[in-house]
């Protein structure tokens, strides 16, 4: 046990120790932690839907007598855990993204891990942005394929690797997030499409933080750029903007059939419950205009905030990079005391020396609330020491 105690102590000393917070309640844009009500600037509930009781009660009233109003699927999808509504949801997504097929995974983590680890094997290779999410990195580690991690959003570095390595392997894929989760910056998807064509690779884009926030019909950045048809594999999660649970992989029929047969995280896990599928369908089919309206509110908010606080971000995620882990922690505590629930993000979640506050904007937040927050950040004089 002593080795674990030592390692935990090391984490505490480097301000990287993680613990579960005493969260009492979330109410739209607010959160109550340790009896204190704060503006929630740390949630991925970008459209403020997850605690909307009007929507939840309307959903319950409408669907409580539905055969699929069930809290457990009691099985993996390939055994008895499937039904018409799962297929319907996949069809809704393949239509929305104009893709041949879609597959539900239980979480975005399982989706990325399953896709990346199963599609490529010995003799293949994967080119992955260095700041891609941990689920993609986990997939890389589990895959039998060789992988190369290019410098974040650095397409010269990616092309150099492609020139040197691509021809040595059979199949290849380039993987990037669209909106990066810790910086809020956006990949140059047009450039990625150009490189994938030039070097004969597939292209996978994780739209986890972009789905619901970008695109005329909420599909994400690739759709906003009219590039949906050029992306071979798109992954999205349903636990962020869409205030539900699960994830979707979109691609052609062959890739989806391959995943059904080979992706362990799909095959060997009890599928999310039917009630969750009904809820996602309800939001997408019956509340789509409301979601789009919330998206417009969020979009105009984050554009104004980018003027107030210019950073690498082009999205709803605003990084306030403090660099030093201890100072970041102190600033987060100071702001929480002032009524803003911001959390410090430290290594290993972000690279060493880039500790930051990750400010996550949601649609019901007012611009003047963010103005006041940045005044407080300026007033935190201890940061200068
Ligand atoms: N991909 C990205 C870019 C993410 O930020 C996350 C979660 O934070 C995931 C995937 C995983 O999604 P989920 O929370 O549904 O497991």
């Amino acid at each position: 046990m002593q080795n674990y105690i030592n390692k935990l102590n090391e984490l505490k000393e480097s301000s990287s120790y993680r613990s579960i917070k005493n969260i009492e309640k979330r109410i739209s844009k607010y959160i109550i932690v340790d009896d204190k009500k704060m503006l929630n600037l740390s949630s991925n509930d970008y459209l403020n839907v997850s605690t909307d009781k009007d929507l939840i009660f309307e959903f319950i009233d409408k669907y409580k007598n539905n055969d699929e109003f069930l809290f457990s699927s009691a099985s993996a999808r390939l055994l008895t855990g499937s039904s018409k509504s799962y297929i319907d949801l996949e069809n809704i997504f393949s239509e929305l993204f104009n893709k041949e097929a879609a597959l539900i995974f239980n979480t975005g983590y399982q989706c990325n891990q399953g896709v990346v680890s199963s599609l490529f094997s010995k003799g293949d290779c994967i080119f992955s942005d260095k700041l891609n999410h941990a689920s993609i990195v986990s997939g890389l580690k589990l895959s039998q394929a060789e992988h190369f991690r290019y410098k974040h959003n650095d397409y010269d570095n990616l092309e150099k690797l492609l020139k040197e390595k691509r021809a040595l392997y059979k199949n290849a894929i380039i993987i990037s997030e669209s909106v990066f989760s810790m910086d809020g910056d956006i990949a140059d998807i047009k450039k990625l499409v150009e490189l994938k064509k030039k070097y004969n690779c597939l292209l996978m884009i994780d739209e986890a933080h972009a789905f619901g926030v970008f695109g005329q019909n909420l599909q994400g950045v690739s759709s906003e750029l009219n590039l949906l048809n050029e992306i071979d594999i798109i992954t999205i999660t349903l636990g962020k903007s869409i205030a539900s649970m699960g994830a979707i992989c979109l691609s052609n029929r062959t890739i989806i059939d391959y995943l059904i047969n080979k992706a362990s995280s799909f095959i060997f896990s009890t599928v999310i419950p039917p009630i969750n599928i009904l809820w996602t369908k309800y939001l997408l089919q019956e509340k789509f205009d409301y979601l789009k309206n919330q998206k417009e509110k969020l979009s105009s908010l984050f554009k104004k905030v980018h003027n107030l606080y210019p950073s690498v971000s082009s999205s709803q995620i605003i990084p306030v990079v403090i660099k030093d882990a201890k100072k970041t922690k102190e600033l987060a505590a100071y702001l929480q005391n002032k009524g803003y629930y911001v959390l410090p993000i430290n290594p290993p979640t972000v690279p060493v020396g880039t500790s930051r506050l990750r400010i996550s904007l949601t649609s019901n937040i007012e611009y003047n609330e963010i103005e006041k927050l940045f005044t407080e950040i300026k007033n935190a004089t201890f940061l200068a020491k």
Side-chain angles (χ1 to χ4, degrees):
M1 267 311 121
Q2 193 55 44
N3 61 331
Y4 297 117
I5 294 171
N6 292 346
K7 280 187 182 148
L8 287 172
N9 284 338
E10 274 169 30
L11 290 175
K12 282 178 188 163
E13 274 159 30
S14 63
S15 299
S16 300
Y17 184 76
R18 300 172 205 257
S19 61
I20 296 171
K21 321 275 177 304
N22 181 21
I23 295 169
E24 212 173 294
K25 228 190 254 183
R26 291 181 294 115
I27 316 159
S28 186
K29 62 182 175 180
Y30 298 105
I31 188 164
I32 301 174
V33 188
D34 293 328
D35 291 332
K36 192 170 168 55
K37 185 173 177 186
M38 291 172 272
L39 186 65
N40 189 354
L41 295 159
S42 296
S43 144
N44 297 321
D45 185 17
Y46 298 127
L47 305 183
N48 285 127
V49 171
S50 79
T51 62
D52 189 323
K53 289 287 164 71
D54 290 343
L55 289 182
I56 292 168
F57 291 138
E58 183 184 300
F59 167 74
I60 293 172
D61 279 349
K62 272 190 148 173
Y63 288 93
K64 61 180 181 243
N65 295 322
N66 188 295
D67 285 346
E68 304 218 36
F69 197 81
L70 301 171
F71 293 96
S72 173
S73 64
S75 165
R77 190 80 187 281
L78 292 174
L79 302 176
T80 59
S82 192
S83 65
K84 187 173 171 299
S85 53
Y86 291 74
I87 310 278
D88 284 350
L89 186 66
E90 287 167 342
N91 288 339
I92 290 170
F93 275 104
S94 49
E95 256 174 55
L96 186 62
F97 282 80
N98 195 26
K99 291 284 173 201
E100 260 176 41
L103 186 63
I104 297 167
F105 282 78
N106 292 341
T107 65
Y109 195 100
Q110 288 186 27
C111 178
N112 282 338
Q113 192 195 52
V115 172
V116 177
S117 64
S118 67
L119 277 182
F120 294 87
S121 43
K122 250 192 160 66
D124 299 333
C125 75
I126 304 172
F127 298 88
S128 177
D129 188 291
K130 209 150 198 172
L131 293 193
N132 276 341
H133 189 256
S135 51
I136 296 171
V137 178
S138 171
L140 294 178
K141 288 180 182 160
L142 289 174
S143 166
Q144 302 284 309
E146 189 62 79
H147 67 263
F148 305 100
R149 294 176 74 191
Y150 61 92
K151 287 185 198 156
H152 174 54
N153 278 352
D154 181 339
Y155 305 110
D156 290 337
N157 183 236
L158 171 59
E159 182 151 23
K160 186 170 167 278
L161 285 168
L162 286 163
K163 260 189 198 141
E164 279 172 20
K165 309 286 185 191
R166 170 66 188 98
L168 306 174
Y169 298 89
K170 222 163 106 201
N171 306 301
I173 189 165
I174 301 170
I175 307 177
S176 178
E177 294 178 26
S178 57
V179 172
F180 279 85
S181 59
M182 291 298 140
D183 289 272
D185 55 345
I186 298 182
D188 184 345
I189 298 180
K190 203 164 163 231
K191 182 76 192 172
L192 288 169
V193 168
E194 189 188 306
L195 290 173
K196 87 138 200 176
K197 286 183 172 166
K198 188 167 169 190
Y199 292 93
N200 185 28
C201 302
L202 296 181
L203 177 60
M204 167 171 162
I205 301 291
D206 175 350
E207 298 261 18
H209 293 274
F211 178 59
V213 181
F214 289 86
Q216 209 191 351
N217 284 316
L218 312 179
Q219 308 101 312
V221 177
S222 312
S223 119
E224 195 155 291
L225 299 171
N226 270 328
L227 291 171
L228 267 183
N229 292 342
E230 307 284 358
I231 319 291
D232 303 284
I233 301 169
I234 294 173
T235 59
I236 57 170
T237 101
L238 305 177
K240 301 187 195 297
S241 298
I242 299 305
S244 186
M245 187 70 202
I248 307 284
C249 177
L250 294 133
S251 191
N252 61 41
R253 189 70 255 168
T254 305
I255 297 257
I256 296 299
D257 285 343
Y258 192 85
L259 292 172
I260 292 170
N261 282 277
K262 292 285 186 184
S264 296
S265 60
F266 169 80
I267 300 168
F268 300 107
S269 187
T270 302
V271 67
I272 42 174
I275 192 168
N276 180 267
I277 302 291
L278 287 184
W279 168 246
T280 310
K281 272 178 64 188
Y282 160 78
L283 289 174
L284 289 175
Q285 291 189 311
E286 298 177 45
K287 297 293 156 191
F288 202 62
D289 287 344
Y290 175 74
L291 299 179
K292 276 167 76 168
N293 188 37
Q294 290 295 94
K295 176 230 165 195
E296 290 309 323
K297 274 169 61 186
L298 177 60
S299 177
S300 65
L301 172 69
F302 71 65
K303 283 175 189 156
K304 277 166 92 178
V305 173
H306 293 159
N307 287 332
L308 174 74
Y309 182 77
S311 73
V312 293
S313 171
S314 304
S315 69
Q316 76 281 14
I317 299 164
I318 316 283
V320 178
V321 178
I322 307 296
K323 295 184 183 158
D324 179 72
K326 193 159 166 275
K327 276 190 180 170
T328 309
K329 215 173 151 190
E330 282 169 10
L331 179 59
Y334 172 86
L335 293 172
Q336 286 176 23
N337 201 30
K338 300 279 180 186
Y340 302 97
Y341 194 61
V342 284
L343 293 172
I345 310 283
N346 288 324
T349 307
V350 292
V352 175
T354 72
S355 287
R356 73 203 49 198
L357 304 178
R358 175 185 182 272
I359 294 172
S360 180
L361 301 172
T362 59
S363 53
N364 290 351
I365 291 176
E366 303 291 338
Y367 176 68
N368 69 351
E369 293 175 305
I370 301 302
E371 266 186 323
K372 284 185 192 150
L373 165 75
F374 278 102
T375 305
E376 290 294 355
I377 293 176
K378 272 193 209 137
N379 289 346
T381 48
F382 63 84
L383 285 178
K385 282 181 209 154

